[in-house]
Amino acid sequence: MFRTSAVVPGGKPAASNQSAMSWDCGLRYMFSVSPGLQHGNKCVLHDKEDLSRLEMVQRLAKDGCRFLQNHSKSPERTSEPQSDEAVRLCLRERGHDVLVLQRVSSEQLSASARGGGREEARSRRYMVVSGTPEKILEHLLNDLTLDEDRGMTQGKESDTLLDDFLLTYPVFMSTSDLCQRHRGKEDGKDALERKQKLLHLVSQWMSLCKDFLREDEHVKLFMKTLYRCVLDDLYEHPALERDVGELQKLYQLHRRHTVDEYSPQRKSKALFHQLSLKENGLQSRATQRETKDVLCHVYITMDSYLSMRVQSGVVAQELVQAVAERMDVSQEELVLVGVTYPGGRLLLQPQDRVFSNSLRSVGRLHACRKDLGEVLNPLTDNSELQQRTAHMLSLNTWDVAVALTDFDWAIFDAVHEQELVYFTFNRNAGSNHTTALEFLLQRCNDIQLWVMTEVLLCPTLCKRVQLIKKFIKIAAHCKAQRNLNCFFAIIMGLNTAAVSRLSQTWEKVPGKFKRLFSELETVTDPSLNHKAYRDSFKKMKAPKIPFLPLLLKDITFIHEGNKTFHDNLVNFEKLHMIADTVRLIRQCQKDHMGNGITQKSSSEVRAYIDYLHIIDNQQTLFELSQRLEPRS
């Protein structure tokens, strides 16, 4: 028994009586019944969707079904029309709510989905408030609208809700559960349309989440099963031929058969249809993923490390060579040692892959001399420090900003919106679902520490002033290049206590640079929920790199401030807010107008930025600061 009810704030659901109408119906139609279709009321039919609802009511009436209607004469309900926020439909099953919908106009939903853009539309739709995973998915399938040529429905309200679901489903169900929900035969009058909607949903799912689903065995099995089912239905529904082609292109599938694809003899599907994955296609994609650049830290003292940009398939010998070149020592003198979490040491062989599963227990990598001594002595050699500062000062500030932005964009462009969901809800901990996001967060921290390290390792006052001027200009260039992640990191590095306390140094900074720094600081001002940053970032054209820690903070506030489940129902309003927030990643990565964010930089600058020497011990950094300018 299923029931719909209009819920008004402070009111009660409709109750059954002699004059009321109650009815039983199939699940797929229940939540598409318009509140306007009530006994004794006239309703205006705007489109074929309303007509199909009326036909459904007529079919139910022939079967002796009756509607529930509340005949309360409360003046506040009859004298004024109910707002969209006041109308909610509750679907009940076995005495419990299983789906709650709220009425919204297309105009409202379009404005929400597009960040303020409005569309004129008279129709009203129903947005999911909460429900069980099965009923939410069923509603989304019913709410999908396909074009006459069955093109994509991008921008329509149904696809906005579908996108919310696909981005956030890991919060309340596993991928294997989602595959199970998709299975099942579709029969009846609307079977073809239902099949096409299901295929559209699966297509959107695979397009959006393919990076996370590529190695999932449940998904592989599901796709094989679905593909076979579509092939079997081709004879009865030839219109599905286009969907077969889409499946082939999207999932790298192909079919081999021995009879005509529309022949009735195709009933023996096990004999005539076989499905296989294009192994070469999968291998090529896997190879591309393995060759992506990653961020690697190799410690060369107990307090400092090299932050290096390497390929994910890098071996120990390649890391040792990079460390030797950067630190100007002989490669033959060095070995790579992994420090395990219990505190043990593991000597890596030259051909050991650093990021292999067998080395997951390694906590930190150390490049040591063969006697297991540190590569560098404590940072006290004044001549080496002078040479280090001179190298940094010789680099062009715009080229440095370009190299930093190119590095950050390579990581940010690989970040998927769903990574923020996995990161916030700690789903699939220990998997590689948040690798790119974690790299970018680590990069932000590295840049902040790098700024501190360079300033605090500069032994002379005049050159420290030049370094601070240089970093202020680099920060301004990063902002101009729409790299707000690196911009924030540099400003925060200059604002740390160890650097900002250098009063003698800051006094020597020219007023022009102090004013520029003050202007840049206002963008990082956290007051009014970072209003200055949000306003500035909104005006920037895409592609652009946001300040990721703040975006994660926004999602965490939504997560902590709202329950994920209400009375065992998924709080889909919360998930809609999270999906709306993480979609910022997609918007920032798109380049509709050809405003490319990356530029060419000199090989010398790129080599320097790819291997940053960083001190990560805050106590060591503060001691260096006090050594430069002791307390009076």
Side-chain angles (χ1 to χ4, degrees):
M1 174 70 179
F2 306 101
R3 176 178 299 171
T4 60
S5 61
V7 181
V8 182
K12 298 180 180 179
S16 59
N17 50 49
Q18 285 186 345
S19 61
M21 300 184 297
S22 64
W23 52 293
D24 300 319
C25 74
L27 173 64
R28 77 176 55 171
Y29 296 106
M30 173 49 92
F31 29 70
S32 62
V33 177
S34 171
L37 297 178
Q38 295 181 351
H39 178 67
N41 287 355
K42 293 181 180 180
C43 61
V44 180
L45 302 180
H46 294 294
D47 50 34
K48 62 182 181 180
E49 185 179 0
D50 288 335
L51 186 60
S52 66
R53 291 172 178 168
L54 184 59
E55 291 174 350
M56 184 269 292
V57 173
Q58 291 172 339
R59 289 200 303 271
L60 293 171
K62 289 180 181 179
D63 295 335
C65 299
R66 297 181 301 154
F67 278 107
L68 276 176
Q69 183 180 8
N70 187 358
H71 291 284
S72 171
K73 301 301 181 181
S74 174
E76 62 269 21
R77 298 187 198 179
T78 56
S79 59
E80 295 181 4
Q82 295 178 0
S83 65
D84 287 333
E85 291 76 10
V87 179
R88 288 193 174 186
L89 300 183
C90 300
L91 178 66
R92 297 179 65 84
E93 186 177 79
R94 297 176 183 175
H96 299 283
D97 290 342
V98 293
L99 186 67
V100 180
L101 306 174
Q102 179 173 304
R103 187 174 72 187
V104 292
S105 65
S106 294
E107 188 178 355
Q108 277 183 313
L109 197 55
S110 297
S112 172
R114 294 168 176 79
R118 301 175 70 86
E119 286 186 349
E120 290 298 331
R122 294 179 299 173
S123 61
R124 296 181 184 274
R125 308 185 71 87
Y126 289 88
M127 194 169 177
V128 178
V129 175
S130 59
T132 63
E134 298 87 349
K135 299 305 183 289
I136 292 174
L137 184 57
E138 182 71 16
H139 170 71
L140 293 177
L141 275 173
N142 279 276
D143 200 47
L144 277 178
T145 304
L146 300 176
D147 297 338
E148 291 183 2
D149 59 353
R150 297 201 333 276
M152 291 301 180
T153 56
Q154 295 291 347
K156 294 186 179 179
E157 300 88 337
S158 55
D159 262 13
T160 301
L161 299 179
L162 175 60
D163 199 53
D164 292 346
F165 178 85
L166 295 177
L167 283 174
T168 60
Y169 80 85
V171 173
F172 54 86
M173 66 193 306
S174 66
T175 299
S176 60
D177 288 337
L178 184 58
C179 291
Q180 292 293 331
R181 303 288 185 267
H182 284 153
R183 291 179 180 174
K185 298 288 289 182
E186 297 288 349
D187 300 310
K189 179 181 177 182
D190 301 322
L192 176 60
E193 183 181 0
R194 294 278 298 177
K195 293 174 191 293
Q196 291 172 346
K197 287 182 176 182
L198 175 61
L199 290 172
H200 175 66
L201 186 149
V202 173
S203 175
Q204 294 290 86
W205 177 40
M206 295 299 293
S207 297
L208 181 66
C209 308
K210 58 181 179 294
D211 290 335
F212 298 123
L213 306 177
R214 193 172 294 154
E215 305 301 329
D216 195 305
E217 294 300 325
H218 296 287
V219 176
K220 290 181 180 179
L221 178 61
F222 166 71
M223 291 309 304
K224 290 181 179 181
T225 305
L226 177 65
Y227 190 72
R228 290 191 181 107
C229 290
V230 175
L231 287 176
D232 291 334
D233 290 337
L234 271 179
Y235 179 69
E236 183 179 357
H237 302 292
L240 292 176
E241 175 63 22
R242 174 176 172 177
D243 297 285
V244 174
E246 291 296 325
L247 283 176
Q248 289 174 333
K249 286 188 289 186
L250 188 58
Y251 320 120
Q252 296 292 319
L253 302 173
H254 72 285
R255 57 186 174 182
R256 298 189 300 269
H257 47 79
T258 58
V259 297
D260 181 73
E261 60 189 36
Y262 298 115
S263 169
Q265 298 175 1
R266 294 175 63 260
K267 292 181 180 179
S268 301
K269 58 183 179 182
L271 296 176
F272 299 112
H273 296 114
Q274 298 176 0
L275 180 68
S276 66
L277 292 170
K278 286 186 177 177
E279 295 298 338
N280 57 342
L282 289 179
Q283 288 172 2
S284 64
R285 289 192 297 173
T287 302
Q288 291 173 8
R289 182 179 56 192
E290 288 176 359
T291 56
K292 285 183 179 177
D293 290 346
V294 297
L295 205 59
C296 179
H297 291 170
V298 179
Y299 280 80
I300 52 180
T301 70
M302 294 305 296
D303 296 333
S304 67
Y305 60 82
L306 280 179
S307 176
M308 302 191 294
R309 180 182 185 176
V310 297
Q311 293 185 343
S312 59
V314 67
V315 296
Q317 184 178 3
E318 294 171 334
L319 281 186
V320 170
Q321 181 180 357
V323 171
E325 292 177 357
R326 182 68 174 83
M327 305 313 300
D328 195 23
V329 295
S330 173
Q331 180 179 345
E332 286 70 22
E333 299 179 14
L334 301 181
V335 292
L336 193 63
V337 175
V339 178
T340 59
Y341 288 112
R345 289 190 173 190
L346 176 66
L347 180 64
L348 274 66
Q349 299 304 313
Q351 297 306 315
D352 284 348
R353 291 186 59 175
V354 175
F355 296 104
S356 64
N357 292 332
S358 60
L359 295 179
R360 286 200 172 188
S361 61
V362 173
R364 296 199 334 186
L365 293 172
H366 283 256
C368 307
R369 299 189 187 274
K370 289 189 176 179
D371 59 0
L372 298 186
E374 293 180 336
V375 175
L376 292 181
N377 295 321
L379 301 167
T380 56
D381 191 327
N382 196 53
S383 61
E384 287 187 8
L385 297 182
Q386 292 279 8
Q387 185 178 2
R388 176 192 179 109
T389 300
H391 187 199
M392 176 62 195
L393 290 175
S394 68
L395 301 178
N396 179 274
T397 54
W398 179 264
D399 284 345
V400 172
V402 167
L404 289 170
T405 299
D406 179 64
F407 193 121
D408 287 4
W409 179 257
I411 304 175
F412 177 69
D413 194 40
V415 175
H416 191 284
E417 308 107 283
Q418 218 171 32
E419 290 191 41
L420 283 78
V421 177
Y422 280 102
F423 188 90
T424 303
F425 288 85
N426 198 27
R427 291 294 188 266
N428 297 82
S431 69
N432 60 355
H433 284 349
T434 59
T435 302
L437 176 62
E438 291 177 9
F439 280 156
L440 196 57
L441 293 173
Q442 184 60 59
R443 182 63 175 176
C444 181
N445 188 56
D446 284 353
I447 296 301
Q448 180 179 345
L449 291 172
W450 168 61
V451 171
M452 298 173 64
T453 302
E454 292 296 335
V455 173
L456 297 175
L457 285 181
C458 182
T460 58
L461 177 61
C462 62
K463 290 190 176 180
R464 269 202 312 278
V465 172
Q466 293 180 44
L467 274 177
I468 288 179
K469 288 166 53 180
K470 203 169 194 71
F471 279 121
I472 292 173
K473 290 176 67 176
I474 292 172
H477 292 328
C478 284
K479 181 175 178 289
Q481 294 171 18
R482 309 188 298 280
N483 181 3
L484 275 298
N485 201 58
C486 196
F487 163 75
F488 260 81
I490 295 173
I491 298 300
M492 289 189 300
L494 293 174
N495 270 328
T496 53
V499 176
S500 62
R501 65 171 295 277
L502 301 175
S503 57
Q504 298 175 27
T505 305
W506 283 97
E507 286 176 2
K508 299 291 184 179
V509 175
K512 179 178 71 172
F513 284 91
K514 287 182 180 179
R515 288 191 296 273
L516 175 58
F517 183 64
S518 179
E519 292 174 8
L520 299 177
E521 272 188 308
T522 59
V523 180
T524 65
D525 182 6
S527 61
L528 299 176
N529 194 19
H530 289 273
K531 184 179 184 302
Y533 160 74
R534 297 181 193 278
D535 290 344
S536 177
F537 189 71
K538 190 180 297 183
K539 295 175 183 177
M540 293 181 180
K541 57 189 177 183
K544 52 189 176 180
I545 305 176
F547 181 48
L548 263 296
L550 181 58
L551 187 57
L552 286 171
K553 173 188 170 185
D554 292 342
I555 299 172
T556 302
F557 275 13
I558 296 173
H559 175 43
E560 298 294 340
N562 301 272
K563 293 183 178 179
T564 305
F565 296 93
H566 284 312
D567 300 326
N568 295 324
L569 299 181
V570 178
N571 180 6
F572 203 73
E573 285 184 306
K574 168 183 176 177
L575 301 185
H576 168 69
M577 289 189 290
I578 289 177
D580 216 32
T581 305
V582 302
R583 265 190 289 269
L584 177 67
I585 297 292
R586 188 186 311 174
Q587 297 162 9
C588 292
Q589 290 172 340
K590 288 184 178 179
D591 188 6
H592 296 294
M593 306 300 293
N595 304 313
I597 195 171
T598 58
Q599 303 177 46
K600 289 185 179 180
S601 59
S602 70
S603 57
E604 179 190 4
V605 174
R606 198 162 54 248
Y608 180 84
I609 294 301
D610 285 354
Y611 299 93
L612 296 178
H613 183 201
I614 296 166
I615 299 175
D616 69 337
N617 187 303
Q618 294 293 334
Q619 183 177 350
T620 300
L621 289 168
F622 208 80
E623 289 174 356
L624 288 171
S625 176
Q626 291 198 350
R627 190 183 305 165
L628 293 174
E629 295 187 18
R631 290 179 180 175
S632 56

